Amino acid sequence: MNIPNQITVSRIIMIPIFVAFMLIDFGWGDLTLLGATLPVEHLVGAIIFIFAAVTDFIDGYYARKHNLVTKMGMFLDPLADKLLVSAALIILVELGFAPAWIVIIIISREFAVTGLRLILANEGEVVAAKQLGKIKMWTQIIAVSALLLHNIIFEMFSIPFATIMLYVTLIFTIWSGWDYFYANRRVLLDSK
């Protein structure tokens, strides 16, 4: 359990804290900030989400820089990302900020890719995230953050940035999922 893996585990631990702030009304009131009005709890929850998401970059950078990349890390890191983003997306549906059909597609892709990763792992292969998958992840982080922050800044100009980014995320989710399955199609085709 090296430092990058500890950071990854801490990201998983932050998820229930993030969920609590997003779904429990602590009675802290609303805050109007940069064109958006949002409950203080949502601001705190969004900050926790963004902090947790940034640790994804930190643990990966640290692991590569100090040659601490492990199979455990290659498995846990994408799992932590999927858990964090899935929790956030489900919350966004609960709050009425994201259409359920988009969230279903995004989470279904995550389950499908995780299933393929398990098949590959069973064959002794641990596949690190590809560039397209990383782009997908960052579009998800940006879209979810913007939605959690009630389209802050862009609300002043009546630009639906958060919604636009959600659709961009949907495109990269489908594209990266197709790419992942296509690149590993031999595993599925050779299955008995």
Side-chain angles (χ1 to χ4, degrees):
M1 186 60 89
N2 60 31
I3 291 173
N5 290 344
Q6 290 173 4
I7 294 171
T8 300
V9 170
S10 74
R11 186 160 68 253
I12 294 170
I13 292 168
M14 282 187 249
I15 295 169
I17 299 166
F18 155 70
V19 169
F21 277 104
M22 292 305 301
L23 296 180
I24 298 172
D25 181 0
F26 293 105
W28 294 348
D30 291 340
L31 177 68
T32 300
L33 184 66
L34 301 172
T37 300
L38 65 158
V40 173
E41 295 89 346
H42 288 190
L43 178 62
V44 173
I47 291 168
I48 292 168
F49 174 84
I50 293 166
F51 179 76
V54 169
T55 65
D56 178 41
F57 170 76
I58 293 168
D59 64 13
Y61 174 79
Y62 190 87
R64 287 185 299 276
K65 182 176 180 183
H66 297 285
N67 198 25
L68 295 171
V69 176
T70 64
K71 286 186 178 183
M72 176 189 245
M74 285 191 286
F75 172 74
L76 276 181
D77 186 63
L79 180 63
D81 297 340
K82 288 170 181 25
L83 291 172
L84 177 65
V85 170
S86 294
L89 288 168
I90 292 166
I91 286 168
L92 290 169
V93 170
E94 171 74 16
L95 296 174
F97 295 166
W101 70 270
I102 292 178
V103 171
I104 290 167
I105 290 171
I106 293 171
I107 292 176
S108 296
R109 180 260 186 216
E110 303 303 343
F111 275 112
V113 168
T114 299
L116 181 56
R117 281 180 178 270
L118 291 172
I119 293 169
L120 291 167
N122 191 44
E123 295 192 4
E125 296 181 46
V126 178
V127 181
K130 295 169 71 174
Q131 190 63 32
L132 194 54
K134 291 177 182 178
I135 293 169
K136 179 267 313 173
M137 181 63 193
W138 282 105
T139 62
Q140 287 179 348
I141 301 287
I142 293 167
V144 168
S145 298
L147 287 164
L148 292 174
L149 289 168
H150 298 229
N151 201 40
I152 203 165
I153 300 174
F154 297 96
E155 200 62 32
M156 287 191 298
F157 307 105
S158 298
I159 299 171
F161 175 77
T163 303
I164 292 167
M165 282 307 301
L166 187 61
Y167 282 96
V168 169
T169 294
L170 178 64
I171 291 165
F172 276 102
T173 296
I174 294 168
W175 184 10
S176 64
W178 177 86
D179 181 63
Y180 199 88
F181 273 87
Y182 185 78
N184 295 288
R185 66 191 177 282
R186 59 162 180 79
V187 175
L188 299 174
L189 297 174
D190 293 343
S191 296
K192 298 189 176 166

